[in-house]
Amino acid sequence: MSETWTLDPALAARLKRTPDGLVCAVAQQYDTREVLMVAWMTDEALARTLATREGTYWSRSRGELWIKGATSGHVQKVVEVRLDCDGDTVLLLVDQSGAACHTGDHTCFDADLLLGPEA
């Protein structure tokens, strides 16, 4: 990714970031509202997502931007982006193609149910 993306200064001023400059991003299927994954964004990742409608995140382990599905083909077409009331979480309503989780599961929340509905 050679192009640099810049976030609108008015939006950047509203974000509350972690000490390492990241904001939490929750990806949710736009039509079913199923939560697919949680990731992290830099200002550049958010700017790129807003400009291209491709879910773009910051890889903390690799220290670089990554576009969801660029290597797997399991892309996220971004339908809406919302900022929470505190400015510390971004909600991406997406149309997910294929698995959202790096494990190959549809959602990152398929594996461990810690508490279910009461009977």
Side-chain angles (χ1 to χ4, degrees):
M1 235 178 289
S2 59
E3 188 168 352
T4 300
W5 303 83
T6 304
L7 193 58
D8 177 279
L11 176 55
R14 296 178 58 197
L15 295 178
K16 292 182 186 161
R17 300 165 194 80
T18 64
D20 49 354
L22 302 176
V23 64
C24 182
V26 176
Q28 185 177 32
Q29 179 64 33
Y30 82 99
D31 51 355
T32 65
R33 298 301 198 228
E34 180 178 25
V35 176
L36 300 172
M37 58 179 263
V38 174
W40 296 95
M41 291 181 141
T42 58
D43 285 11
E44 185 176 6
L46 180 55
R48 188 187 186 290
T49 297
L50 294 172
T52 66
R53 293 187 176 263
E54 295 176 315
T56 305
Y57 304 97
W58 179 256
S59 171
R60 293 179 298 169
S61 60
R62 294 188 312 265
E64 64 185 19
L65 291 177
W66 59 277
I67 301 167
K68 182 68 180 157
T71 56
S72 68
H74 300 164
V75 298
Q76 288 180 346
K77 181 180 188 280
V78 178
V79 177
E80 286 183 23
V81 178
R82 297 171 178 255
L83 182 62
D84 81 333
C85 59
D86 295 324
D88 61 1
T89 305
V90 177
L91 175 64
L92 288 82
L93 298 176
V94 303
D95 189 8
Q96 178 69 47
S97 171
C101 188
H102 71 280
T103 64
D105 286 337
H106 175 68
T107 167
C108 293
F109 298 96
D110 278 347
D112 293 308
L113 178 64
L114 302 180
L115 179 68
E118 290 186 331

